[in-house]
Each structure stands twice: as structure tokens, then as C-alpha cells.
């Protein structure tokens, strides 16, 4: 049965989209029976325009990774229930959002500590996401 990994960030525009595309690329290379999706916790409060961050696009293109340029998607209970693993990209930022909108689910999530663009340069944040995704791929491959 295919494992489903759910990546969460605030806007489903930058960090979670990068994690999703990179995970799917690496999982396919590793022949893992796993797929990632990503969602946003507060899409309505971001004020972002467009489908995905230019930094995400550039980083993925430089690695030859295809990106689905769909619009950001808000998180639903159904997304959580269908996922085997839920990863929020920044503990301090996302735990309160999950607690407020999806009570009980933060206890089931894994929290990384990747800053958004207002606190960390994209090259730094995206490298952190890549390191975390690679560790995750390795862990799933050994389960």
C-alpha cells in the first residue's frame, strides 16, 4: 500500500511545494511506494499571488525536477485522515495553526524548523528542506 506523506506550510506556495516535488522525485528514484502532497494552513492570510514561489520553481528546475504549477490548496480533515505521515515545515509557526483549526492533529505531526522567506534566505531554507527530505526518504526506505 502506497504511503502518503503530507507536507504543510502556511501558504502552500513555497516550502511545502518544494518538499512535495523533491520528495516525489527522490521517492521515484529510490523506487519507494510513497507519494507526497502538500497543503496550506492559512492560504487566505498570505496575500500571495500566483501558483508557486519563483524560488521553488528555480530550485526544482536546477535539479531537473518537474513541478505541478497548480494553485495552493488549503488543508482539510480529509487530507490529514488520508495521510500516513504529516510534516509541518516550521514548529513555532505551524503548530498553533494546526491546533486552532485541526484540534488534536499536532500531536500526530512531525515538525521541522525551516524558516519562511522573511527569516531565512531561500537558498538556506531550501537546502534545509532538501536535507530533511533526503533523511525522510532514507527512513522510509528502511521501514
Amino acid at each position: 500500500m502506497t504511503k502518503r506523506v503530507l507536507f504543510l506550510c502556511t501558504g502552500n506556495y513555497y516550502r511545502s511545494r518544494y518538499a512535495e516535488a523533491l520528495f516525489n522525485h527522490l521517492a521515484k528514484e529510490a523506487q519507494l511506494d510513497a507519494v507526497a502532497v502538500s497543503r496550506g494552513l492559512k492560504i487566505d492570510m498570505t496575500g500571495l499571488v500566483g501558483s508557486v514561489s519563483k524560488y521553488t520553481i528555480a530550485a526544482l528546475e536546477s535539479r531537473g525536477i518537474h513541478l505541478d504549477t497548480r494553485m495552493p490548496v488549503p488543508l482539510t480533515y480529509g487530507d490529514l485522515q488520508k495521510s500516513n505521515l504529516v510534516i509541518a515545515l516550521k514548529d513555532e509557526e505551524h503548530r498553533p495553526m494546526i491546533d486552532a483549526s485541526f484540534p488534536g492533529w499536532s500531536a500526530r505531526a512531525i515538525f521541522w524548523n525551516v524558516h519562511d522567506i522573511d527569516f531565512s534566505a531561500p537558498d538556506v531554507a531550501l537546502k534545509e528542506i532538501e536535507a530533511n527530505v533526503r533523511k525522510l526518504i532514507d527512513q522510509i526506505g528502511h521501514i
Side-chain angles (χ1 to χ4, degrees):
M1 182 156 113
T2 302
K3 291 177 181 68
R4 181 179 159 110
V5 178
L6 174 62
F7 290 105
L8 303 175
C9 71
T10 305
N12 192 221
Y13 179 78
Y14 168 53
R15 293 171 290 174
S16 62
R17 295 291 287 282
Y18 183 74
E20 173 190 6
L22 183 63
F23 180 93
N24 286 332
H25 176 79
L26 295 174
K28 184 176 179 180
E29 280 186 348
Q31 299 180 354
L32 293 181
D33 191 15
V35 65
V37 297
S38 66
R39 299 291 184 262
L41 290 159
K42 295 286 183 186
I43 290 173
D44 56 330
M45 73 176 254
T46 62
L48 298 171
V49 177
S51 62
V52 67
S53 166
K54 65 183 179 181
Y55 302 110
T56 298
I57 293 170
L60 292 170
E61 283 180 353
S62 74
R63 289 162 176 78
I65 299 172
H66 170 73
L67 175 68
D68 176 8
T69 55
R70 64 163 173 78
M71 294 301 289
V73 178
L75 179 64
T76 66
Y77 274 108
D79 293 319
L80 292 164
Q81 292 165 341
K82 289 187 271 184
S83 298
N84 302 98
L85 189 58
V86 177
I87 299 172
L89 276 286
K90 177 93 191 286
D91 191 344
E92 181 181 344
E93 180 182 357
H94 299 131
R95 187 181 300 268
M97 292 178 187
I98 294 171
D99 287 340
S101 299
F102 303 92
W105 279 94
S106 67
R108 303 176 195 182
I110 294 169
F111 290 88
W112 292 350
N113 285 297
V114 180
H115 294 291
D116 205 345
I117 198 162
D118 52 349
F119 290 103
S120 185
D123 61 326
V124 172
L126 297 176
K127 283 180 185 174
E128 288 177 25
I129 293 170
E130 183 168 352
N132 286 329
V133 167
R134 287 185 181 281
K135 286 180 198 170
L136 181 61
I137 291 286
D138 188 52
Q139 290 168 349
I140 291 172
H142 289 95
I143 294 176

